Amino acid sequence: MDKTLACLIDEIIQAHHEYLRQELPSILELLNKMVKLEGERQPKWNALKAVFIQFFIETNTHLTQEENLLFPMIRKIEEPISIVDLGQVQALVAILEKEHETLDALMIEMATLTKEIRVNQTGSSNAQIIFDKLHQLEIDMEIHAHKEDHVLFPQALSRSRKSNF
């Protein structure tokens, strides 16, 4: 049996949005420390921090748009008597999917910088923690975007088309 759209939304918020809200500030704090310790000797740490800050800002904006605009519309689709503006849902989905692509590009850029830093990095435990956290972030973002782009959004669009007829 398919999960309801509301269940999918709740799962995404609890598993992924909450994870991001906890981990992003933690990773930024660790990056700040590494830049202070290693930034002058290893300038790639500064570049990684700059890309991460951009990712952090874009992610926060993205989560807010999902939770305050799109997700409430999707929840309405399952109401017995619902009138949902299909065009508005489609437009928001298109915007958010494009944002997923932007976030993915930033993740790729961070992974590239991380590989470059690893080559020149001595055995710092702080660096390893950052590398591990960024790797976990990458995995979570892949799963998160897949759930939205390939499960939630298509189901929401399909159901909103049916509910408007």
Side-chain angles (χ1 to χ4, degrees), residues 32-104:
N32 283 331
K33 288 178 185 175
M34 282 307 292
V35 165
K36 283 181 185 174
L37 293 171
E38 299 282 337
E40 202 169 297
R41 189 183 71 75
Q42 173 64 279
K44 295 283 183 186
W45 280 111
N46 295 305
L48 178 60
K49 178 183 169 187
V51 174
F52 183 81
I53 288 171
Q54 185 180 356
F55 178 85
F56 193 146
I57 292 167
E58 297 270 346
T59 298
N60 281 332
T61 301
H62 179 81
L63 298 180
T64 300
Q65 288 177 325
E66 285 182 342
E67 292 176 10
N68 294 338
L69 300 174
L70 183 61
F71 288 176
M73 280 186 202
I74 291 174
R75 288 180 191 277
K76 281 186 179 181
I77 292 168
E78 292 182 315
E79 292 176 3
I81 299 174
S82 69
I83 299 173
V84 178
D85 183 342
L86 178 59
Q88 193 173 16
V89 173
Q90 289 172 325
L92 276 171
V93 165
I95 290 166
L96 294 170
E97 286 177 334
K98 191 72 172 159
E99 288 177 5
H100 285 167
E101 292 172 13
T102 300
L103 293 171
D104 187 50

Side-chain angles (χ1 to χ4, degrees), residues 3-149:
K3 290 182 179 178
T4 65
L5 297 175
C7 285
L8 284 169
I9 290 168
D10 291 342
E11 179 182 308
I12 289 166
I13 291 171
Q14 290 167 4
H16 303 288
H17 290 198
E18 291 305 319
Y19 166 81
L20 290 166
R21 286 191 173 99
Q22 287 182 319
E23 286 301 309
L24 294 181
S26 169
I27 295 169
L28 181 58
E29 185 178 327
L30 290 167
L31 281 169
N32 283 331
K33 288 178 185 175
M34 282 307 292
V35 165
K36 283 181 185 174
L37 293 171
E38 299 282 337
E40 202 169 297
R41 189 183 71 75
Q42 173 64 279
K44 295 283 183 186
W45 280 111
N46 295 305
L48 178 60
K49 178 183 169 187
V51 174
F52 183 81
I53 288 171
Q54 185 180 356
F55 178 85
F56 193 146
I57 292 167
E58 297 270 346
T59 298
N60 281 332
T61 301
H62 179 81
L63 298 180
T64 300
Q65 288 177 325
E66 285 182 342
E67 292 176 10
N68 294 338
L69 300 174
L70 183 61
F71 288 176
M73 280 186 202
I74 291 174
R75 288 180 191 277
K76 281 186 179 181
I77 292 168
E78 292 182 315
E79 292 176 3
I81 299 174
S82 69
I83 299 173
V84 178
D85 183 342
L86 178 59
Q88 193 173 16
V89 173
Q90 289 172 325
L92 276 171
V93 165
I95 290 166
L96 294 170
E97 286 177 334
K98 191 72 172 159
E99 288 177 5
H100 285 167
E101 292 172 13
T102 300
L103 293 171
D104 187 50
L106 291 170
M107 288 298 310
I108 291 167
E109 191 174 348
M110 286 190 288
T112 300
L113 287 165
T114 299
K115 286 178 188 169
E116 293 170 5
I117 291 169
R118 279 184 193 263
V119 170
N120 299 314
Q121 187 64 40
T122 57
S124 164
S125 62
N126 287 337
Q128 190 57 50
I129 291 168
I130 292 169
F131 299 150
D132 291 345
K133 284 184 171 280
L134 288 174
H135 180 69
Q136 284 305 121
L137 176 63
E138 183 178 6
I139 291 168
D140 182 77
M141 287 300 295
E142 286 176 13
I143 295 167
H144 176 182
H146 176 81
K147 284 180 185 176
E148 290 178 352
D149 293 345

